[in-house]
Amino acid sequence: MKRSLFAAMAAFLGFAVAVSGGGELWKGENLKRVQITGKVLCQDCSHGWNEWAHGATPIKGSKVAVTCLDSRRRVVYYGSDETDEKGDFNFPVDLCRYAGDHSKAIRPEGCSVRLVSSPEDACNVMTDFGGGRSGARLVRPSHVYPGSLKYTVGPFFFTSPMCEEPDTSDIGGS
């Protein structure tokens, strides 16, 4: 009895994985829009380890940007947003862009999100935690809705100028 129950469960699981395309149901869906969300925080290195690691504070008015490329690595979408008082940002991106008489389809996996600027002089040095400086790619959605996906990236961090690593590539003179 246990063996047949186990076999039935294994067969059902195999069928579910095969039908879902390996658990990626959203890839076959006819999507119209994606939401891209995240958070921007200030990390202060002048405090002790606990405060630095766990005491990051939200930055209101930080600017983040989304850039989407097509299969030929041409920009088909660029947008920016500012964070709210909690340091949160939220981009709605329509996946069909119109340019003149024709439209361009945007693939979410061709998009990346990165830091642009901070309004705070005391915390305006970009870090690459979470891909904030180099750009975080949209890999797997955090939520799947009918006709829409939500991607969550980050959190991204700025730090103070005193925490910035000095450029030592030109030491020794030339």
Side-chain angles (χ1 to χ4, degrees):
M1 176 78 171
K2 282 185 180 180
R3 188 172 288 192
S4 64
L5 181 60
F6 178 77
M9 287 175 39
F12 176 76
L13 181 60
F15 173 77
V17 169
V19 167
S20 70
E24 297 181 353
L25 287 171
W26 72 88
K27 289 191 175 183
E29 190 173 338
N30 186 14
L31 297 173
K32 294 175 178 60
R33 166 179 282 202
V34 294
Q35 292 288 121
I36 304 169
T37 63
K39 186 176 273 296
V40 177
L41 303 167
C42 176
Q43 218 169 24
D44 187 353
C45 72
S46 65
H47 297 290
W49 168 252
N50 266 348
E51 183 66 25
W52 177 80
H54 304 291
T57 57
I59 302 176
K60 178 182 179 183
S62 290
K63 196 173 198 179
V64 291
V66 173
T67 305
C68 299
L69 306 175
D70 65 9
S71 60
R72 295 166 69 184
R73 308 221 10 103
R74 295 177 298 184
V75 174
V76 291
Y77 175 80
Y78 175 84
S80 63
D81 191 27
E82 289 189 359
T83 56
D84 63 14
E85 61 278 347
K86 295 179 183 176
D88 295 327
F89 60 87
N90 184 13
F91 285 99
V93 177
D94 291 327
L95 296 179
C96 189
R97 307 298 293 177
Y98 292 96
D101 294 336
H102 60 280
S103 66
K104 279 279 197 187
I106 297 174
R107 297 177 1 261
E109 57 274 6
C111 299
S112 65
V113 185
R114 65 179 180 80
L115 291 169
V116 174
S117 65
S118 169
E120 295 186 12
D121 290 336
C123 196
N124 64 1
V125 176
M126 290 180 216
T127 71
D128 210 24
F129 291 120
R133 183 177 27 207
S134 60
R137 304 209 34 112
L138 303 184
V139 178
R140 183 174 294 277
S142 55
H143 296 82
V144 179
Y145 305 107
S148 178
L149 298 177
K150 180 179 177 182
Y151 290 87
T152 304
V153 295
F156 297 149
F157 294 94
F158 282 96
T159 192
S160 64
M162 69 179 285
C163 301
E164 185 175 21
E165 290 184 35
D167 181 10
T168 58
S169 63
D170 197 27
I171 294 181
S174 52

